Amino acid sequence: MVIISINYAIAKCTGHSQFAPIATWVFNIAVLFANDWFSGYHYSALHPALKFMDDLSGLHPRWYINFNISMLRLIAFNMDYYWAYRRTGTQDRGADLNYKERTSTYHPTEMYNYWNYVAFVLYPPLYLAGPIMSFNDFLWQLRRPTHIPLRGVLNYLFRFVVCILTLEFVLHFMYVIAIKDRQAWQGDSAADIGFIGFWNLVIIWLKLLVPWRFFRLWALADGIDPPENMIRCVANNYSVFGFWRSWHRSYNLWIVRYIYVPLGGTQNVLFTTILIFTFVALWHDLSFKLLAWGWLISLFFIPELSARYLLPQSKYGDKWWYRHVCAIGAVGNMLMLVSANLVGFAVGTEGMSFMLSRMFSDWDGIRFIPILYETLYKTMADIHALDIKGDIVIPSSPGFEQAIARKSGTSVLRAGYVITPATVADIPPAIEFALSRLPPLEIAVKGGGCHSSTNSSTQGGLVIDLSKLKAVEVKDDKEWGKVVAVQGGCIWRDVYEKLKPLDLIVVGGNVSFVGVGGFTTGGGYSSLSAELGLAIDNLVEAEVVLADGSVVRCSEKQEPDLFWAIRGGGNQFGIVTEFVFKAHPARGPAITGTLVYPATDQQGQLAPAALDNVLKALHEFLPTQGTNSWLNLVFGRAPTSPYLPAVMIFPYIDGKDGTTALAEKALKPLLDAMPPYIPAQLETKATFYDVSRAPEVFLDHAPPRYAVGAASFGDLNDMIVREVFNEWVKYSDQEETRGTMVMFEFGKKGKIDSVAPTATAFPLREPHYYSVITARHGRHTNPEHDRSARDWVSSVCGIIKKHNQEKLCTPANFALGPEYESQEEVYGVNLTRLRKLKAKYDPKKVWRRGWIIEPEA
Ligand SMILES: Cc1cc2nc3c(=O)[nH]c(=O)nc-3n(C[C@H](O)[C@H](O)[C@H](O)COP(=O)(O)OP(=O)(O)OC[C@H]3O[C@@H](n4cnc5c(N)ncnc54)[C@H](O)[C@@H]3O)c2cc1C
């Protein structure tokens, strides 16, 4: 407690001064040496009369051995406090944070108090051996507890028991430790000794895995989720970097945050690596032997570092030979690591020299070398197919449920792998990996995860989740003026946040959490479309990863066929990793809000007159509608008992002239014709960005499962609206379906329809309006109701389509799912050309989620 308190005092006294990190490190390293030197200190050293106190050694007499772990926490606290004081890191946005954010987001400085600090340092589950976590992470989990499902903890417990039993099994039936200890390998071949060494290593790995898993399990059961150690088996590591990253992973994360990054990170890799290993060796044990081991290990990094420097993945990662070069290097690394560990931890120098002599003494020994190399090479080439910087999650991984989650529970399928590329270069190996399995894995691509179908998910296949590809960059273009390059994993909020301070907008989603990827490849309607066209009409260039793993750029001039196909062809031609949109000067202020007209009379009986009045006002308003407005006619129920049905109008009217005067003028006829029963809840929003965030409060609390479908229609037809209204009133009368809504969208025809239906792959260019039907099972999370919800949405769409003389199609963004709409309905007049282009860009149908386009024979 004395050491802990002094460390705290150092943090508080040095505050944000540059001296703080130096004082912290000097103190902690000095304590490390002093602990060792004085063997944990003795009372008798203070006074011989106190010797009796030394005999009362307590539960944990050699406490100073574990102090090494505590020391990491002491440094973590001081450094996190220092950075919080200097506001270095991320500011709290009030949302739930993931592991990385929990570490880099600082707390208010008053939270770095003594009691939180002591709780962190002495937290029982992690006190003895870790896993190690940062103070910021620990405190975030106390302040905003992470949801750790009981099922996940039980699963972890089960796997832990299996690990112990595996260790027991190996120790019982494979006497490799006894053979090693007795050096009983006389007469064995080189291969035999190789296996003895290998299994010794596996046992060491398992031996360490068990306590780490135990302590983490304890923390998980207590509601704290620390980082996992040993995320990769020792036999599944081919990179020296990868080996260290995944072995004592939580320690590695600690080193990266508190040593590697502050010392300059990639700027001085070799220097920091040597320094880190010096620290690691001394931290483990203050002996020269380990120090020498640490320096030797640092040298092992040199071949890998050189290879990375000469053949960077960013430049050559998509070349066919890259994987094989990596595999050759990986075998070299592997042999180096295995030999070092065999000497250090398994068979020792005697075993190694015996093995070498056996390798070269007879034909069997000599044959062993190429066989070993060949076997390792094949394995490495296979593993390297998934050598990516991003994350790989499988069903048994801790974050699996989160990785397969979608905005609506109806879209979830249980994938075999979820890969989250950190860079575009991660995508080709992921595709290659999926296709090299037998049978090949189905690939699904997830952008913002908003579509209510299962198109971005796969049952047992591989999901490529683009959520880490989030860069947004504004550029000047000679031809287009200001353009915005948006990576394929962005949601619209990412784009608007970047553009807002620059007074720019793009044609994007009306709701900010909708993904750019699905939205744009499906056409992309916005309240701005009447004036500026669809999102695809503003797309000037894109980068696409094709089915064969090649990365190509396309525009009207470069690969025009591909550029045509991704503008409306959905997910059928490749993964769009970058969209370049034309930017426009910001619009606004705009008037938005809700006009509510109860659909019942004073006695609560349905009053058709209310709907009639609204329709009448709409008929008057629509001919005068300008390109600055977008209007939604919505059926929804009141949120409180008796949940009366209501007819609502959600207007979006842009001032355009920089004031709200124009918007107010545009809205006036509607208000005059029919004043709302409830005072109009209209607000002025400064920008389109603010408008797009408005529905979030409502939608973020939307029920977890919903089905969305749509149908388009040529003109406002009262008969259709009334029929749909009656169906909706009947259906939404139950507790679980009360959240069901119907929305008819009215935007001025003009800019969208001015483009020919065949100019892009998006076919719906005839004058039209949209209806969007959302069925919700409010209080139920039961997947068994998904089908009935979708069926109902489909039946209501059917009512509209039945009256639809123009036979308008339903493009991918608003369609329910491939079980409901045909390819003809989704791709319309463009299906024939799309089939030709499918044969060109994806003849083997690698992209086969959603409305699959059959390649032309
Ligand atoms: C609340 C809400 C409001 C909406 N408002 C509008 C609106 O105003 N206008 C409109 O047009 N639509 C709107 N939509 C529909 C929306 O555009 C679609 O659901 C769209 O598919 C969402 O894209 P996503 O990336 O979030 O979807 P996801 O579910 O991730 O993906 C949907 C499909 O797109 C594919 N995909 C995603 N990203 C990429 C990529 N980068 N490259 C290739 N394929 C990709 C997926 O493979 C999948 O097939 C809305 C949806 C919701 C839920």
Side-chain angles (χ1 to χ4, degrees):
M1 286 308 291
V2 173
I3 296 171
I4 290 174
S5 302
I6 296 177
N7 183 66
Y8 180 76
I10 290 176
K12 289 288 157 173
C13 294
T14 49
H16 66 286
S17 104
Q18 297 216 331
F19 185 59
I22 301 172
T24 298
W25 277 95
V26 168
F27 170 72
N28 279 285
I29 289 183
V31 170
L32 203 63
F33 274 97
N35 285 352
D36 188 64
W37 187 264
F38 297 108
S39 305
Y41 316 105
H42 297 283
Y43 288 103
S44 54
L46 292 176
H47 195 283
L50 295 176
K51 184 170 179 320
F52 76 98
M53 300 267 286
D54 294 330
D55 299 334
L56 305 170
S57 51
L59 271 180
H60 189 26
R62 281 160 55 87
W63 63 270
Y64 54 94
I65 305 286
N66 298 90
F67 182 81
N68 293 17
I69 297 274
S70 302
M71 170 200 164
L72 302 179
R73 283 190 285 266
L74 300 197
I75 293 178
F77 173 81
N78 284 21
M79 295 301 292
D80 284 356
Y81 174 61
Y82 168 73
W83 284 320
Y85 214 127
R86 297 170 75 98
R87 299 275 179 272
T88 310
T90 324
Q91 230 175 343
D92 181 22
R93 286 182 285 118
D96 280 344
L97 306 171
N98 62 30
Y99 162 74
K100 265 194 180 154
E101 291 165 338
R102 287 199 302 266
T103 293
S104 61
T105 306
Y106 49 80
H107 303 264
T109 43
E110 63 274 14
M111 304 296 296
Y112 295 77
N113 60 37
Y114 189 67
W115 298 119
N116 284 338
Y117 164 68
V118 170
F120 168 61
V121 175
L122 301 182
Y123 181 57
L126 308 183
Y127 176 70
L128 282 184
I132 303 142
M133 59 199 296
S134 66
F135 176 77
N136 282 354
D137 184 10
F138 180 76
L139 196 56
W140 276 123
Q141 295 199 40
L142 291 188
R143 290 181 66 196
R144 280 186 213 146
T146 41
H147 176 61
I148 305 172
L150 179 66
R151 200 171 140 209
V153 179
L154 292 178
N155 216 333
Y156 196 83
L157 169 69
F158 174 73
R159 286 166 53 211
F160 170 70
V161 172
V162 172
C163 286
I164 295 189
L165 294 180
T166 309
L167 185 59
E168 282 291 323
F169 179 86
V170 175
L171 287 175
H172 241 80
F173 293 104
M174 302 172 78
Y175 314 118
V176 287
I177 299 224
I179 297 172
K180 175 208 59 159
D181 287 348
R182 309 295 305 175
Q183 301 193 351
W185 45 61
Q186 298 307 322
D188 286 349
S189 68
D192 292 338
I193 303 177
F195 275 108
I196 291 168
F198 172 78
W199 280 103
N200 265 287
L201 281 182
V202 170
I203 290 173
I204 294 170
W205 185 80
L206 265 174
K207 197 170 83 178
L208 285 170
L209 179 128
V210 166
W212 272 330
R213 293 282 195 274
F214 171 76
F215 288 121
R216 183 159 187 268
L217 174 65
W218 184 359
L220 286 175
D222 188 44
I224 294 284
D225 184 0
E228 180 70 293
N229 284 329
M230 292 186 148
I231 52 171
R232 221 164 159 158
C233 168
V234 66
N236 176 13
N237 265 297
Y238 50 86
S239 139
V240 186
F241 278 97
F243 179 79
W244 288 111
R245 268 189 213 131
S246 48
W247 177 268
H248 194 167
R249 178 167 164 266
S250 66
Y251 184 36
N252 183 268
L253 292 170
W254 183 95
I255 286 174
V256 170
R257 176 164 170 81
Y258 300 107
I259 308 183
Y260 184 69
V261 174
L263 286 182
T266 43
Q267 308 289 315
N268 328 298
V269 181
L270 198 57
F271 166 72
T272 35
T273 306
I274 293 174
L275 202 81
I276 284 169
F277 274 95
T278 307
F279 171 76
V280 170
L282 290 175
W283 177 82
H284 269 103
D285 194 347
L286 299 171
S287 68
F288 180 75
K289 205 175 94 192
L290 265 179
L291 197 59
W293 166 85
W295 286 334
L296 199 67
I297 289 287
S298 305
L299 294 181
F300 284 9
F301 283 89
I302 293 176
E304 196 172 329
L305 269 177
S306 324
R308 283 183 185 201
Y309 179 75
L310 294 172
L311 297 171
Q313 193 191 24
S314 53
K315 198 162 167 193
Y316 301 106
D318 55 352
K319 302 274 182 279
W320 66 267
W321 46 262
Y322 187 76
R323 182 178 142 209
H324 299 280
V325 173
C326 289
I328 293 169
V331 176
N333 268 347
M334 182 112 175
L335 290 176
M336 208 160 67
L337 277 173
V338 169
S339 322
N341 285 302
L342 282 181
V343 173
F345 298 104
V347 292
T349 42
E350 290 92 30
M352 198 65 191
S353 59
F354 184 76
M355 181 169 144
L356 288 175
S357 71
R358 294 295 288 130
M359 270 162 92
F360 296 104
S361 62
D362 57 21
W363 176 234
D364 272 354
I366 292 169
R367 225 170 42 154
F368 172 64
I369 303 170
I371 292 176
L372 176 70
Y373 199 90
E374 160 86 357
T375 314
L376 284 176
Y377 174 80
K378 282 209 167 124
T379 319
M380 288 304 110
D382 208 21
I383 291 174
H384 193 268
L386 259 184
D387 177 24
I388 59 165
K389 287 196 183 130
D391 300 333
I392 303 170
V393 171
I394 55 171
S396 55
S397 310
F400 181 70
E401 299 299 327
Q402 214 179 339
I404 57 168
R406 297 290 181 272
K407 205 76 196 162
S408 163
T410 51
S411 315
V412 174
L413 294 177
R414 305 192 72 75
Y417 300 79
V418 180
I419 294 190
T420 311
T423 66
V424 175
D426 281 349
I427 297 179
I431 298 174
E432 190 173 345
F433 173 79
L435 300 183
S436 64
R437 303 292 94 184
L438 280 175
L441 297 174
E442 180 180 69
I443 302 177
V445 178
K446 184 206 151 212
C450 278
H451 206 286
S452 85
S453 70
T454 55
N455 292 356
S456 69
S457 305
T458 157
Q459 189 67 36
L462 181 145
V463 172
I464 299 181
D465 177 349
L466 303 176
S467 58
K468 283 194 174 178
L469 301 180
K470 281 209 177 256
V472 180
E473 200 185 340
V474 179
K475 301 176 186 171
D476 284 308
D477 183 274
K478 273 193 205 125
E479 190 179 349
W480 301 99
K482 284 261 182 270
V483 294
V484 193
V486 178
Q487 275 200 306
C490 286
I491 57 172
W492 285 109
R493 185 188 307 159
D494 304 319
V495 184
Y496 300 153
E497 273 178 3
K498 182 87 182 184
L499 296 185
K500 190 182 176 188
L502 304 173
D503 273 338
L504 293 172
I505 48 154
V506 284
V507 177
N510 292 340
V511 179
S512 67
F513 61 65
V514 170
V516 174
F519 180 92
T520 309
T521 52
Y525 273 81
S526 146
S527 302
L528 303 169
S529 292
E531 188 188 350
L532 301 171
L534 299 175
I536 49 168
D537 301 332
N538 289 272
L539 188 69
V540 297
E541 197 184 331
E543 179 188 75
V544 186
V545 180
L546 296 177
D548 63 3
S550 56
V551 184
V552 293
R553 290 200 80 82
C554 61
S555 64
E556 289 288 4
K557 293 181 191 141
Q558 194 182 352
E559 289 284 348
D561 279 345
L562 182 62
F563 190 57
W564 179 87
I566 58 161
R567 287 178 293 164
N571 61 355
Q572 290 295 300
F573 291 88
I575 303 178
V576 185
T577 45
E578 188 181 86
F579 299 90
V580 183
F581 295 106
K582 187 167 167 28
H584 302 274
R587 301 293 196 270
I591 288 186
T592 69
T594 321
L595 309 177
V596 184
Y597 305 93
T600 46
D601 59 21
Q602 303 282 342
Q603 284 72 43
Q605 298 301 314
L606 267 189
L611 180 59
D612 290 347
N613 280 344
V614 175
L615 287 172
K616 190 164 158 273
L618 267 178
H619 277 295
E620 280 164 27
F621 173 80
L622 289 180
T624 67
Q625 185 178 26
T627 54
N628 62 329
S629 75
W630 197 272
L631 218 70
N632 296 331
L633 167 67
V634 179
F635 304 153
R637 283 183 179 264
T640 49
S641 179
Y643 312 106
L644 293 175
V647 179
M648 295 174 276
I649 289 194
F650 296 166
Y652 163 80
I653 305 192
D654 186 353
K656 251 183 154 182
D657 57 354
T659 71
T660 54
L662 194 69
E664 279 157 10
K665 198 170 146 213
L667 198 57
K668 200 163 177 304
L670 198 69
L671 288 170
D672 287 352
M674 183 200 48
Y677 288 173
I678 297 175
Q681 296 161 1
L682 295 175
E683 318 173 56
T684 301
K685 301 267 180 203
T687 61
F688 181 64
Y689 167 74
D690 301 315
V691 176
S692 77
R693 294 212 66 166
E696 279 180 23
V697 186
F698 166 67
L699 290 167
D700 271 353
H701 297 99
R705 311 191 82 84
Y706 55 78
V708 183
S712 34
F713 52 98
D715 260 316
L716 174 56
N717 178 332
D718 295 0
M719 200 170 63
I720 300 181
V721 177
R722 281 202 201 96
E723 195 174 338
V724 171
F725 178 76
N726 291 336
E727 285 301 317
W728 166 76
V729 172
K730 267 192 273 165
Y731 180 75
S732 63
D733 197 20
Q734 304 296 315
E735 187 185 1
E736 62 179 88
T737 52
R738 221 165 258 145
T740 301
M741 291 175 79
V742 174
M743 184 157 88
F744 295 93
E745 299 197 0
F746 299 96
K748 173 116 181 109
K749 307 160 187 179
K751 190 72 184 184
I752 303 169
D753 317 327
S754 67
V755 178
T758 52
T760 62
F762 184 84
L764 185 53
R765 299 292 189 166
E766 292 92 342
H768 63 276
Y769 295 126
Y770 254 129
S771 64
V772 180
I773 291 100
T774 317
R776 294 210 166 122
H777 287 268
R779 289 168 193 247
H780 289 258
T781 50
N782 189 347
E784 282 173 19
H785 294 156
D786 295 352
R787 184 82 207 183
S788 64
R790 286 195 168 123
D791 285 351
W792 183 79
V793 173
S794 172
S795 73
V796 177
C797 293
I799 296 174
I800 299 163
K801 289 174 193 169
K802 186 178 71 192
H803 291 287
N804 181 353
Q805 299 303 316
E806 296 89 348
K807 295 276 169 282
L808 297 169
C809 49
T810 311
N813 271 2
F814 294 102
L816 254 173
E819 317 87 291
Y820 291 92
E821 297 90 359
S822 66
Q823 276 75 354
E824 285 78 8
E825 183 176 347
V826 171
Y827 303 115
V829 288
N830 291 321
L831 184 58
T832 313
R833 183 168 176 202
L834 283 169
R835 288 191 56 203
K836 279 198 181 89
L837 295 181
K838 184 80 172 174
K840 179 174 174 187
Y841 291 107
D842 182 24
K844 292 187 184 152
K845 291 197 286 186
V846 169
W847 316 117
R848 59 185 126 104
R849 296 294 304 151
W851 293 271
I852 308 169
I853 297 173
E854 280 302 319
E856 193 185 63

